Amino acid sequence: MLDLLQKIPHLDLGLTYNPITMLEEVKNFNYANYQTSYATAKELYEKNWSGASLISIDGSVFGDMSELKIYPKISPKETALASQCPYLMSILHDIGSSKERSRIMRIAPKGTLDWHSHVLHHKQDPKRLVVQIPIIVPKGFTYSVMHAKDLSSLKKGKPVKTYDKEYKEGKTYVFNSFHPHNVFNPSNEYRITLMTYMNIDNPKSKKILEKAVENYDGPLL
């Protein structure tokens, strides 16, 4: 199943939650800028990407705002925000992600990121999949994925095929993190999402993933 998951640009998991309740729990959050290890993208990320952790490596709200080159062998810990967000924590439990790094992440108005792969560039375990459950999705906000073989062409200014999707608030998606992906916010609003991970070896997560893959009839990378 993992080989197929790596070819699906956007996988709707068939689960829907209440974005109004989700927003109520996070509306008064403070956020910290996300840090990247890539010097060329540092300013871009600090300007456009910010977050606050519900579950982090060290249990801090703002100490886990960067990619990991090596995933620690310890289980992530709930932060002080987790107790303030019973509905969000119930969602994480529902999909088997209550022991995974989980954050509320924002993309700034007019914001975008660098094209990046969590697996190929940041050495993320390919069995750990990025999950997005949008809370606020401004009009025109796009999640995009391209095949890894096309990244060099893009950097040379050549046209490449991308797989673009506008996610719906409250729905649950696997956003392909094996191939390079990016997001684009043409609006004057923040995009706000619950970002977490699903491990294919977790029995609860695996069952959800298997059903979603079975029902998938979209394009493959």
Side-chain angles (χ1 to χ4, degrees):
M1 182 172 67
L2 182 59
D3 287 345
L4 183 54
L5 281 166
Q6 291 176 349
K7 296 176 183 178
I8 297 174
H10 310 277
L11 180 62
D12 186 338
L13 294 180
L15 301 172
T16 303
Y17 300 97
N18 190 328
I20 297 174
T21 306
M22 296 172 75
L23 181 60
E24 186 66 24
E25 290 190 342
V26 308
K27 66 181 181 181
N28 295 320
F29 274 18
N30 294 316
Y31 294 90
N33 292 335
Y34 190 88
Q35 304 293 318
T36 179
S37 60
Y38 289 101
T40 55
K42 181 177 176 60
E43 184 177 349
L44 180 70
Y45 276 58
E46 287 184 346
K47 177 182 178 182
N48 293 311
W49 208 5
S50 57
S53 293
L54 299 172
I55 303 172
S56 67
I57 293 298
D58 61 0
S60 70
V61 174
F62 300 125
D64 197 13
M65 290 293 120
S66 63
E67 60 264 1
L68 295 177
K69 292 296 185 183
I70 300 177
Y71 198 90
K73 294 183 179 180
I74 60 172
S75 295
K77 305 175 182 65
E78 292 185 8
T79 74
L81 293 179
S83 62
Q84 302 176 33
C85 303
Y87 185 63
L88 293 176
M89 295 305 293
S90 72
I91 293 172
L92 296 176
H93 182 269
D94 193 36
I95 63 175
S97 300
S98 59
K99 300 296 183 182
E100 297 288 343
R101 299 168 78 204
S102 303
R103 298 167 287 193
I104 303 301
M105 299 297 290
R106 304 189 307 174
I107 294 293
K110 308 300 182 183
T112 186
L113 302 177
D114 196 17
W115 286 92
H116 63 287
S117 161
H118 292 218
V119 177
L120 303 177
H121 299 156
H122 304 320
K123 310 304 179 185
Q124 176 182 295
D125 182 349
K127 292 183 178 181
R128 184 168 274 115
L129 311 172
V130 169
V131 174
Q132 297 269 342
I133 309 176
I135 300 172
I136 293 179
V137 183
K139 185 177 180 180
F141 188 95
T142 305
Y143 293 78
S144 297
V145 182
M146 72 167 67
H147 197 287
K149 66 179 177 57
D150 291 328
L151 185 59
S152 60
S153 295
L154 179 76
K155 291 182 176 180
K156 294 175 183 177
K158 298 179 180 179
V160 300
K161 180 176 177 57
T162 61
Y163 299 79
D164 309 321
K165 189 174 182 65
E166 294 186 19
Y167 290 4
K168 295 183 179 179
E169 295 167 355
K171 293 183 71 66
T172 307
Y173 304 88
V174 172
F175 186 25
N176 191 304
S177 57
F178 180 84
H179 289 279
H181 57 272
N182 204 345
V183 292
F184 301 91
N185 185 6
S187 80
N188 293 315
E189 301 176 69
Y190 276 97
R191 189 269 352 230
I192 303 176
T193 191
L194 171 59
M195 176 180 171
T196 187
Y197 298 84
M198 291 177 78
N199 193 322
I200 195 173
D201 287 336
N202 180 297
K204 183 180 290 187
S205 298
K206 185 177 181 180
K207 185 176 181 179
I208 295 170
L209 290 164
E210 286 177 337
K211 183 176 180 180
V213 168
E214 182 180 344
N215 293 332
Y216 182 75
D217 60 358
L220 297 177
L221 290 154

